Amino acid sequence: MTKPLQSLRQQLHWLRWQRWSIWMLRIASFGVAVTIVAGALVFAVDWSCDLAPSERLWLLLAASATVGWVLVDNLRRRACRLESDVELALLIEQHERLENDLVGALQFDAAPAAHYGSRQLETAVIEYVDDYAQQLDLRQQRQPARLILPMAAAAGIAAAAMALLIAYPEHGRAFVDRLALRTTAYPSRTKLAALSINKRAIDPSVPNAPTRIAFGQPARFEVHAAGEPPEAGFIELCAAGESRRTTIELVPEADRPHVWSAQIPKLVENLDFQLYLGDARSATQSLVAIPLPIVCVTLHAKPPEYAEHALAQLPETAGTRQLAVLEGSDVTVELVSTEKPLKSVQATIGGRAFAFAAADSSRLRWTLAAQHSPLAAMRESIAYEILVTDDDGLTPSEPIRGSVVVRVDRPPRVTAAIVTQYVLPTGRPTVTYGAIDDFGIGSIRVHCLVQHSDGTSSDSKLDLPRPAPAQQEVRGRQAIDFSSMNLAKGDQVKLTVEAADYRGRRPAKRASSDPLIFHVTDERGVLAAMAETDQRTARQMDDIIERQLGIGAVESP
């Protein structure tokens, strides 16, 4: 025996899931339509405003949140609650224009209703409705309008969107790329065929690695246009990290059709730029101002060993590109980069190139040792030029030029004096001498040249006491013994004092005093010379006294 109202409940169960399925399809159709409309609005805003990736992200989040809220709200109100048997019975009664028998029978059949009212009335209503339900076939009822209309609307919107995509496929691909936050530009009537900056080609449609340009150097833009000829163009510039913007005009080249150009005279800061030509626009690109290498040149002079004691207190020459050194000095050049590692350093001296060596792995300090260049044991002044190249291939803004001037180590200065020029053949006249040198006297001696009255001559040498090492000044008196020279009256002796400077292992330089002339005579000649000297001295004294007393002055009229 079948359970009362079983047929009715089965049909109500079927009707419940049918209505739920229809609602789900309606919500799905509505979701498709809303998503397509939201996508179209996003496309319209992005296409008209050319949004940046960050702006597009916020727009996508806002559109997704709106579509999601609408769909969740519909699902919450329709899909998350199934209709009860009583609610479905009311709908059937309204559709079939019945009394409240279906609802009453379902309520009487419920367990709590078995204890209330007339049992005969309940049984009669239940039996009546059960017989009626046997004849009722809810599955034959269809609700096409409730489903076809929203699905048709969604299909129409989808078809329109598909037609637009087929008609404008490039716009569709660009929109999909931009939804992925790429920087693809929408198609335009004017095309940016090529872009170059200082003759380096870059792709204008996508962001490239920053274009690196030397600080203070110009940046020249060349744009090759295709498609519809543009009427005007410009480049919008923005300092990195700032909102301040400026523009420079793109000017068409007179001799090259479809080529537009512009130039920044000096790039002194990092810039972001975007190029606009007709209705075409490029992706945002960057320019980076690379600092030029800044270097400091230091010349280190090592004087010869013999002069080290005298030149030990020379001032440091950091930052000075000119230097005066003593002859025979070794000069080492040190170059220091204040910021950037250097790729190579090369000096040109006398038309020849000499490479510097990096002092450490940082490649900030470079040296040119004296032994590897003409700067070793210098004998003459030279000029040099240094070529510096950093890792970016840049060189300093000004050439590095300088010179090393050689100061000649002069020979010593020598002087000698005697009291009288007339001597006896066996005399021992005394010679007073002195010698001075910048760095030390090495040796000193006397040269004697004898001119005999018969026309013959002879010479001899006499070494004087050797001065102490590095002694810069030597003074002394030396008696010259003429008894060994076989002199006779009428002979003449020419005496010269010669001094050599001290230069260590290097060849010394020599200098001589003015020659001293001795006349060999007898005692009468010596006395006569002494008398003449006394008379000359007396006359000089008389002249001095007269000048002091004003004697002999002529009075003016």
Side-chain angles (χ1 to χ4, degrees):
M1 181 177 179
T2 61
K3 188 177 179 181
L5 302 180
Q6 181 178 2
S7 176
L8 177 61
R9 292 186 185 277
Q10 289 177 347
Q11 294 196 63
L12 291 176
H13 178 76
W14 179 87
L15 180 61
R16 178 184 299 110
W17 286 105
Q18 182 194 50
R19 288 175 58 82
W20 184 87
S21 301
I22 291 174
W23 273 112
M24 290 299 294
L25 291 174
R26 286 168 60 90
I27 292 173
S29 301
F30 180 71
V32 170
V34 169
T35 302
I36 294 175
V37 171
L41 292 176
V42 169
F43 169 80
V45 173
D46 183 43
W47 181 73
S48 60
C49 300
D50 189 26
L51 301 179
S54 59
E55 296 171 332
R56 267 179 272 141
L57 177 62
W58 285 109
L59 180 62
L60 285 174
L61 292 176
S64 301
T66 301
V67 172
W69 179 81
V70 171
L71 294 178
V72 168
D73 183 65
N74 277 273
L75 288 172
R76 180 180 57 80
R77 290 189 292 108
R78 296 295 182 181
C80 295
R81 189 180 70 85
L82 297 177
E83 297 168 303
S84 65
D85 289 348
V86 174
E87 291 174 332
L88 293 174
L90 286 173
L91 291 175
I92 294 172
E93 289 177 350
Q94 294 174 3
H95 185 267
E96 299 292 335
R97 294 183 176 86
L98 301 175
E99 299 297 336
N100 293 332
D101 294 339
L102 296 179
V103 175
L106 291 172
Q107 290 177 341
F108 287 147
D109 190 50
H115 306 289
Y116 302 100
S118 172
R119 183 63 181 172
Q120 291 80 5
L121 178 60
E122 293 177 8
T123 302
V125 172
I126 290 173
E127 290 178 351
Y128 169 74
V129 171
D130 188 50
D131 293 337
Y132 179 77
Q134 299 292 334
Q135 302 174 2
L136 183 64
D137 188 4
L138 296 179
R139 299 188 181 188
Q140 295 181 356
Q141 300 181 8
R142 298 290 185 268
Q143 301 177 358
R146 298 182 59 203
L147 182 60
I148 293 175
L149 184 60
M151 292 187 67
I157 294 174
M162 186 60 66
L164 290 174
L165 289 175
I166 294 174
Y168 303 97
E170 294 183 356
H171 288 76
R173 284 192 293 269
F175 180 56
V176 172
D177 286 344
R178 293 175 69 84
L179 287 181
L181 303 183
R182 299 189 183 97
T183 55
T184 306
Y186 288 110
S188 55
R189 295 184 299 276
T190 300
K191 309 293 183 183
L192 300 178
L195 170 62
S196 65
I197 302 175
N198 289 354
K199 298 184 179 180
R200 283 180 285 181
I202 64 173
D203 187 350
S205 62
V206 297
N208 295 265
T211 302
R212 301 163 65 85
I213 298 176
F215 182 89
Q217 298 300 310
R220 176 176 173 78
F221 300 81
E222 280 193 7
V223 186
H224 293 254
E228 181 178 307
E231 295 183 358
F234 63 92
I235 300 175
E236 186 177 68
L237 304 170
C238 175
E242 298 184 9
S243 58
R244 175 175 53 89
R245 295 179 180 272
T246 186
T247 59
I248 56 175
E249 183 182 2
L250 283 167
V251 180
E253 297 280 344
D255 54 344
R256 293 192 294 172
H258 309 296
V259 177
W260 297 64
S261 62
Q263 180 168 311
I264 301 175
K266 289 185 178 181
L267 186 66
V268 295
E269 59 182 338
N270 297 341
L271 296 176
D272 295 331
F273 72 91
Q274 194 168 13
L275 186 146
Y276 296 82
L277 190 60
D279 63 341
R281 64 187 69 179
S282 71
T284 300
Q285 311 287 351
S286 298
L287 297 176
V288 175
I290 314 173
L292 300 177
I294 301 175
V295 298
C296 177
V297 176
T298 304
L299 303 177
H300 300 281
K302 181 182 179 182
E305 295 179 359
Y306 70 88
E308 287 182 347
H309 67 283
L311 301 179
Q313 304 300 323
L314 287 179
E316 180 59 45
T317 59
T320 302
R321 300 177 184 178
Q322 283 76 33
L323 181 65
V325 300
L326 180 65
E327 179 184 8
S329 298
D330 294 335
V331 178
T332 300
V333 185
E334 181 182 33
L335 184 142
V336 178
S337 174
T338 58
E339 295 181 1
K340 304 175 65 179
L342 303 179
K343 183 178 181 180
S344 65
V345 181
Q346 194 174 70
T348 301
I349 304 173
R352 297 173 57 195
F354 301 89
F356 281 64
D360 50 42
S361 59
S362 67
R363 294 183 289 121
L364 294 176
R365 288 183 63 249
W366 296 70
T367 57
L368 177 61
Q371 60 267 28
H372 302 311
S373 71
L375 301 177
M378 296 189 62
R379 291 289 181 266
E380 59 183 9
S381 301
I382 61 172
Y384 66 86
E385 181 174 343
I386 300 177
L387 176 62
V388 174
T389 305
D390 63 13
D391 289 340
D392 297 308
L394 302 180
T395 60
S397 57
E398 297 181 357
I400 303 173
R401 295 191 179 97
S403 61
V404 180
V405 179
V406 172
R407 179 164 61 90
V408 177
D409 185 0
R410 295 175 297 178
R413 297 179 295 280
V414 187
T415 185
I418 55 177
V419 175
T420 179
Q421 292 181 315
Y422 295 91
V423 296
L424 296 173
T426 58
R428 289 175 57 86
T430 299
V431 177
T432 301
Y433 62 89
I436 188 171
D437 186 72
D438 295 335
F439 304 105
I441 300 296
S443 64
I444 187 166
R445 59 188 176 183
V446 177
H447 286 267
C448 297
L449 177 63
V450 179
Q451 295 286 343
H452 296 283
S453 58
D454 59 2
T456 62
S457 63
S458 62
D459 60 351
S460 61
K461 297 179 182 179
L462 174 64
D463 289 329
L464 299 179
R466 190 177 186 88
Q471 184 176 347
Q472 294 176 293
E473 185 176 358
V474 176
R475 293 175 181 269
R477 298 166 63 89
Q478 180 66 39
I480 308 298
D481 188 5
F482 282 179
S483 60
S484 61
M485 297 183 185
N486 298 320
L487 299 177
K489 183 179 178 181
D491 292 345
Q492 188 180 73
V493 180
K494 181 185 295 185
L495 189 146
T496 305
V497 179
E498 180 187 80
D501 59 6
Y502 174 73
R503 301 197 174 200
R505 294 188 298 269
R506 301 173 185 272
K509 286 188 177 181
R510 301 179 180 275
S512 300
S513 67
D514 293 333
L516 303 174
I517 306 298
F518 290 96
H519 299 281
V520 180
T521 185
D522 53 13
E523 293 180 358
R524 183 180 297 178
V526 171
L527 292 174
M530 293 175 61
E532 183 181 352
T533 301
D534 291 342
Q535 293 176 2
R536 186 168 55 251
T537 302
R539 286 195 300 271
Q540 292 175 350
M541 292 299 296
D542 291 340
D543 291 339
I544 292 173
I545 293 172
E546 289 178 357
R547 284 197 297 270
Q548 293 291 330
L549 298 177
I551 299 174
V554 179
E555 296 184 1
S556 58

